[in-house]
Amino acid sequence: MNINSNPKWLEKLSVAGNKFSNMRIVKAITGGFKFSMPLILIGAVIQIIQNVLQLILGEEAAILGSLGIAYNFTMGIVGLAWAYGIAYADARENKINPNTAGLLALSLFLILVKPVFVDASTETDWFVTTIQIQFERIGAMGSLVAMLAGLVMGEGMSLFIKKGWTIKTGKNKSIPEFLVVWFEALIPGLVVILLGWFVTYYLDLDIYVLTTKMMEPIVSAADTLPGLVIYETLAIIGWFLAIHPLASFGWMMPILFANLIENTELYAAGLAPTLENGFHILNIGTEFGWILLFGSGSFLPLVFFALRSKSETLKSVGKAGLVPALFAISEPILFGMPVAFNITLGIPMIINTALNSVVAYLAMASGLVKIPYLFAFMPFAPAGINGYLYNKDLMGIILAIVLVVVNGVIYYPFFKAYEKQVLTEEKK
């Protein structure tokens, strides 16, 4: 369906949405998230291996503790990757040296998480200082500080360089490029680093604690049934407008990861995965396990309908989209059918996402399905299997199957209406 056949208000909404997703700061945050994906995926695989070994060898197996170290140095340091990646992406958007901005952002981030320094007490090692940093501060729980460090460094360096507040080397081509980069970064890097030190150590402010407290009302609101539905619905409306959820709501992803990690820690402390015990329903596991079934938009039923369609066009789209849909890749259907800018199919997509959010929340809040409590981020695993990795609950598999069927029932009349339109166009 051509975008020009849609109402003008839809075109205006699309333009506004794309302007937001193309904002430099939004692109920097989503770029930083993408940069950290290797650490996240490797950490998730390590967690899955731990879970399998725990079933085979028992909880007391020594190897589990050793694997925990590997997990801590992948998923456990993802905040470092976010700080570097966000500054890198922001600097690249500002057309300044991204590597320098990324490295300096790491320094600023480590200052802002406020590590503890302990001087050695013996005479022989009086010159040795031990640094103590809690993993939670440099992992997903420190995501807001990482965002702050990355954006402040990227934007700060850009401001200084654009205003000319740097040491200038002139146009002397005999000066090596690396020296030009060093001198250009010296003043802005020094100012931002000293600012971070002044706020954190001289004023004695704990930025990690402050950002956590500031975000508590937002996270708590989003962790309610209305908050979850609003968040998921707005994200899928963006998808309908061809704006990837990472672009429109990428800033929420670290919070979704942090919530699942907090659930994992609560479970490790011996608590049952319930709302009463402080577990978060809004987390990356709920998102990919039960709300976005087989990808954003839950398109698998549309694929099956297309494969059986009388329209050769839709049948071809179904064939192209089957394997990607099974592994939660939505783009072939979103743009191939298309669903983007197609009001006929966009309405049921939005309804299904809101419905999945409501049902998943109520099932977990009531205890019918366990709230995700294991970190096993596998976004491309088929629905059902994906959810089981997060909570080891067979009821979760049943819920996923029921939701897929219900999504199909809702899609069907809209698909048949759209099929008529396509067949009419094919006859012409």
Side-chain angles (χ1 to χ4, degrees):
M1 181 176 285
N2 194 308
I3 184 172
N4 294 325
S5 65
N6 285 298
K8 287 186 177 180
W9 64 264
L10 186 58
E11 294 181 40
K12 291 179 180 178
L13 186 61
S14 173
V15 170
N18 277 294
K19 280 185 178 178
F20 173 78
S21 65
N22 283 315
M23 288 175 61
R24 185 172 65 248
I25 289 176
V26 175
K27 290 175 75 174
I29 293 172
T30 56
F33 174 75
K34 291 174 183 176
F35 181 86
S36 69
M37 282 306 295
L39 278 177
I40 291 171
L41 291 173
I42 292 172
V45 172
I46 291 171
Q47 184 69 56
I48 292 170
I49 293 171
Q50 280 185 301
N51 294 336
V52 172
L53 289 177
Q54 183 179 334
L55 288 173
I56 297 172
L57 304 176
E59 294 186 5
E60 303 302 321
I63 192 173
L64 296 178
S66 299
L67 275 174
I69 295 171
Y71 175 81
N72 283 337
F73 282 103
T74 49
M75 188 62 198
I77 60 169
V78 75
L80 294 169
W82 279 327
Y84 181 94
I86 289 170
Y88 185 101
D90 188 75
R92 188 172 53 187
E93 289 293 320
N94 280 301
K95 295 180 171 55
I96 63 175
N97 189 283
N99 284 312
T100 304
L103 288 172
L104 291 174
L106 281 178
S107 176
L108 178 62
F109 175 58
L110 289 171
I111 290 172
L112 294 181
V113 296
K114 205 173 185 181
V116 176
F117 297 93
V118 181
D119 292 326
S121 57
T122 62
E123 293 183 2
T124 56
D125 57 6
W126 59 269
F127 55 89
V128 176
T129 299
T130 301
I131 181 172
Q132 297 176 349
I133 304 177
Q134 294 173 309
F135 266 111
E136 68 176 27
R137 292 190 172 222
I138 58 173
M141 301 295 286
S143 60
L144 296 176
V145 184
M147 287 184 194
L148 180 64
L151 291 174
V152 168
M153 185 56 73
E155 290 295 307
M157 286 190 64
S158 174
L159 175 65
F160 272 70
I161 291 170
K162 288 178 180 177
K163 292 290 185 180
W165 301 336
T166 61
I167 297 175
K168 296 179 174 61
T169 56
K171 296 183 179 180
N172 190 340
K173 294 184 179 179
S174 64
I175 299 177
E177 179 63 26
F178 70 88
L179 284 178
V180 174
V181 172
W182 288 359
F183 284 118
E184 186 178 59
L186 182 58
I187 292 177
L190 181 64
V191 170
V192 176
I193 293 294
L194 288 179
L195 177 63
W197 160 80
F198 180 79
V199 169
T200 306
Y201 287 96
Y202 190 81
L203 297 182
D204 197 26
L205 293 177
D206 194 325
I207 303 299
Y208 174 81
V209 173
L210 285 175
T211 53
T212 302
K213 288 189 177 297
M214 286 172 58
M215 289 300 293
E216 276 178 1
I218 298 174
V219 175
S220 297
D223 212 8
T224 63
L225 177 56
L228 178 65
V229 174
I230 291 170
Y231 160 65
E232 297 293 348
T233 303
L234 288 176
I236 207 65
I237 289 173
W239 199 220
F240 168 67
L241 298 172
I243 302 169
H244 198 284
L246 275 181
S248 56
F249 281 90
W251 57 274
M252 276 291 291
M253 296 302 286
I255 294 172
L256 298 180
F257 277 106
N259 282 355
L260 182 56
I261 289 171
E262 190 172 335
N263 287 358
T264 302
E265 292 171 351
L266 290 171
Y267 185 78
L271 296 175
T274 64
L275 280 180
E276 293 75 19
N277 287 333
F279 284 71
H280 301 283
I281 291 179
L282 176 67
N283 62 67
I284 203 71
T286 305
E287 179 93 355
F288 286 101
W290 291 274
I291 296 175
L292 307 180
L293 292 162
F294 295 101
S296 297
S298 305
F299 290 148
L300 189 64
L302 279 181
V303 172
F304 289 139
F305 298 153
L307 288 172
R308 298 177 60 83
S309 174
K310 296 175 184 177
S311 162
E312 290 301 320
T313 301
L314 292 178
K315 194 173 288 185
S316 298
V317 173
K319 290 176 181 177
L322 177 59
V323 174
L326 289 172
F327 294 96
I329 298 170
S330 303
E331 283 81 352
I333 299 301
L334 182 78
F335 299 109
M337 192 159 283
V339 179
F341 300 105
N342 182 344
I343 294 177
T344 307
L345 295 179
I347 290 173
M349 176 178 72
I350 294 168
I351 292 172
N352 278 333
T353 302
L355 174 71
N356 291 353
S357 303
V358 171
V359 174
Y361 187 96
L362 294 177
M364 292 176 187
S366 65
L368 180 65
V369 174
K370 290 180 182 177
I371 298 173
Y373 61 89
L374 294 169
F375 189 88
F377 182 57
M378 300 296 286
F380 303 117
I385 296 173
N386 194 337
Y388 186 76
L389 293 173
Y390 293 114
N391 66 1
K392 292 184 181 178
D393 188 355
L394 291 175
M395 286 300 297
I397 297 177
I398 295 172
L399 176 62
I401 294 170
V402 170
L403 285 174
V404 170
V405 172
V406 172
N407 290 168
V409 170
I410 292 172
Y411 267 127
Y412 187 73
F414 291 91
F415 174 82
K416 296 304 287 185
Y418 180 62
E419 184 184 39
K420 269 187 186 179
Q421 298 173 27
V422 176
L423 286 170
T424 301
E425 291 177 6
E426 285 180 349
K427 286 177 182 177
K428 291 179 183 179

